[in-house]
Amino acid sequence: MPGAIYAEGLVKNFGDVRALDGVDLDVPEGTVLGLLGPNGAGKTTTVRVLTTLLTPDQGKASVAGIDVLRHPNEVRRRIGLSGQFAAVDEYLTGRENLQMVGQLYQLKAKDARRRADELLERFNLADAADRTAKTYSGGMRRRLDLAAALVVSPPVMFMDEPTTGLDPRNRQALWEVIQELVAGGTTLLLTTQYLEEADHLADDICVVDHGRVIARGTSDQLKAQTGGERVEVVVRERERIGTAEELLRAHAVDGGEVAVEQHTRRLTVPVAGGAKLLAEVIRDLDGRGIEIDDIGLRRPTLDDVFISLTGHAAEEDTADGDDEDGGQSENSENSENSKKKAGAAAKAGKK
Ligand SMILES: Nc1ncnc2c1ncn2[C@@H]1O[C@H](COP(=O)(O)OP(=O)(O)O)[C@@H](O)[C@H]1O
Ligand SMILES: [Mg+2]
């Protein structure tokens, strides 16, 4: 029985560019899937196919058990989507925009008003609630778009990089709303470039790169797959590095090597056994009279996972056409202003 979101062998070409190269997904009902990948990986294309906005060249997909290609209208009735500014009407105020969405979904006027107020408050738009959306900055529009997607809770929700460019406070607010949404039974597919976000929100993670899912699993599974924990020791005296190395070798997991960095006096060894093993290592070092400046147990982060899978960091190439909605515009009062700032920054950068 396929999950609430299901895709098999999705392929999509744009001219010579193969945006999707055989994407498979299966998201159980009521869970959150994090689609994690760098710019150009194929995240948005996947979301557009699943939300009926784009027809794939090959493959099949269903959402809420309904075939996306055969019954797009049925699918649309059961999903929410944010990230396209689709829902925002420039000429309405923030409040009117949200109330209108509520009415579209047949909430009672009173309930639509209450939900609008609640969301305006949560996304820090209350002060701007009665201004038309066209006066909003990129960051404010982004928040209004998110709020619009959250007026009602559809069975299946898609969010394309919802927190890109949001400041920490608004990111936190969104995370909370997302958690409530999922607690209410909604299935969510969320794309992100932020490992921390996938780690925090997603039940399962699919790492995509070059149009393919290159790894999948829970955050913990992915981390375990990358290699387990390591003990890192910085010894005080250079002369003791050799002894420390020998001692650590005895604690290495099968086939594990001790890595030694002479100039920092840091030794790293892959281990299994967690805090208990760390305590043993400390006792051993102490028993041999080796003084240490630092010691710790390091577990792989999702960053380590990503680098080991793709050969590059996830967040390194963020330069993208839509910086308008990025961090810069978050704190400015209107988009005109932020364009000027961006222009000035670009000029300053050229000097
Ligand atoms: N409409 C389009 N026309 C041409 N190329 C596109 C189009 N949409 C996406 N692409 C290309 O497809 C690839 C995947 O893009 P996208 O799905 O937007 O990636 P992501 O959302 O992960 O950044 C990229 O190489 C992108 O340039
Ligand atoms: Mg994208």
Side-chain angles (χ1 to χ4, degrees):
M1 181 64 186
I5 303 171
Y6 179 78
E8 199 181 307
L10 293 182
V11 171
K12 181 70 192 181
N13 296 296
F14 293 107
D16 291 344
V17 178
R18 178 159 279 227
L20 301 183
D21 191 18
V23 170
D24 300 326
L25 297 172
D26 194 354
V27 189
E29 201 177 312
T31 68
V32 181
L33 176 76
L35 211 55
L36 179 69
N39 262 328
K43 302 181 298 294
T44 297
T45 306
T46 303
V47 169
R48 292 183 66 209
V49 168
L50 293 169
T51 54
T52 78
L53 298 171
L54 193 67
T55 310
D57 299 334
Q58 285 174 46
K60 54 185 184 181
S62 68
V63 169
I66 300 160
D67 192 302
V68 171
L69 296 168
R70 275 193 226 144
H71 307 291
N73 290 327
E74 296 283 301
V75 168
R76 274 179 218 142
R77 238 175 274 148
R78 288 168 173 82
I79 62 175
L81 168 65
S82 89
Q84 304 271 332
F85 303 129
V88 174
D89 184 326
E90 295 266 289
Y91 295 95
L92 298 180
T93 66
R95 189 192 308 280
E96 287 164 349
N97 262 292
L98 298 186
Q99 286 178 2
M100 192 190 67
V101 175
Q103 278 157 15
L104 233 56
Y105 282 98
Q106 277 147 22
L107 294 187
K108 287 189 194 125
K110 187 175 74 165
D111 295 334
R113 223 174 308 139
R114 183 164 1 102
R115 184 65 177 154
D117 286 344
E118 189 186 313
L119 288 164
L120 288 163
E121 191 63 48
R122 293 188 80 154
F123 286 103
N124 299 301
L125 289 169
D127 291 343
D130 297 312
R131 277 164 42 193
T132 55
K134 73 174 191 292
T135 68
Y136 283 18
S137 71
M140 291 164 79
R141 275 169 207 237
R142 178 156 206 110
R143 270 137 52 201
L144 184 61
D145 173 72
L146 286 165
L150 292 162
V151 169
V152 293
S153 311
V156 182
M157 177 77 125
F158 295 86
M159 297 185 137
D160 193 7
E161 298 204 23
T163 61
T164 296
L166 291 191
D167 63 22
R169 184 175 58 148
N170 286 308
R171 182 171 294 188
Q172 188 60 42
L174 178 65
W175 284 7
E176 283 167 18
V177 182
I178 285 176
Q179 277 161 339
E180 284 167 22
L181 184 77
V182 174
T186 294
T187 306
L188 171 67
L189 186 153
L190 158 104
T191 79
T192 184
Q193 300 189 43
Y194 302 117
L195 303 154
E196 185 204 351
E197 182 156 284
D199 216 351
H200 189 82
L201 292 175
D203 296 298
D204 290 295
I205 295 171
C206 280
V207 181
V208 286
D209 203 19
H210 304 295
R212 295 203 133 116
V213 177
I214 56 171
R216 64 182 87 218
T218 63
S219 173
D220 285 341
Q221 285 167 347
L222 289 172
K223 288 172 188 171
Q225 196 177 312
T226 301
E229 55 203 9
R230 283 151 286 174
V231 168
E232 284 188 2
V233 185
V234 178
V235 304
R236 169 145 314 162
E237 294 162 322
R238 203 169 299 278
E239 306 77 66
R240 305 307 303 274
I241 289 177
T243 317
E245 183 180 357
E246 204 176 289
L247 187 153
L248 288 177
R249 192 171 295 130
H251 290 286
V253 288
D254 283 348
E257 298 277 329
V258 183
V260 181
E261 235 181 58
Q262 289 288 341
H263 66 289
T264 56
R265 307 184 308 281
R266 181 182 301 269
L267 297 95
T268 306
V269 61
V271 298
K276 188 157 167 282
L277 182 117
L278 180 66
E280 271 173 42
V281 172
I282 293 171
R283 269 200 303 276
D284 281 5
L285 288 164
D286 204 36
R288 299 288 285 271
I290 300 173
E291 286 187 87
I292 53 177
D293 280 345
D294 194 18
I295 188 162
L297 187 68
R298 183 156 133 71
R299 295 195 161 87
T301 63
L302 262 185
D303 287 273
D304 297 325
V305 173
F306 202 84
I307 289 168
S308 90
L309 286 169
T310 66
H312 54 82
E315 293 162 44
E316 68 186 7
D317 50 351
T318 50
D320 192 21
D322 50 31
D323 245 19
E324 173 71 0
D325 323 314
Q328 271 185 329
S329 49
E330 177 66 27
N331 298 314
S332 62
E333 274 311 295
N334 60 58
S335 53
E336 201 46 51
N337 196 1
S338 69
K339 264 181 212 152
K340 276 182 203 148
K341 270 195 204 160
K347 271 182 206 150
K350 273 184 199 139
K351 281 187 191 165

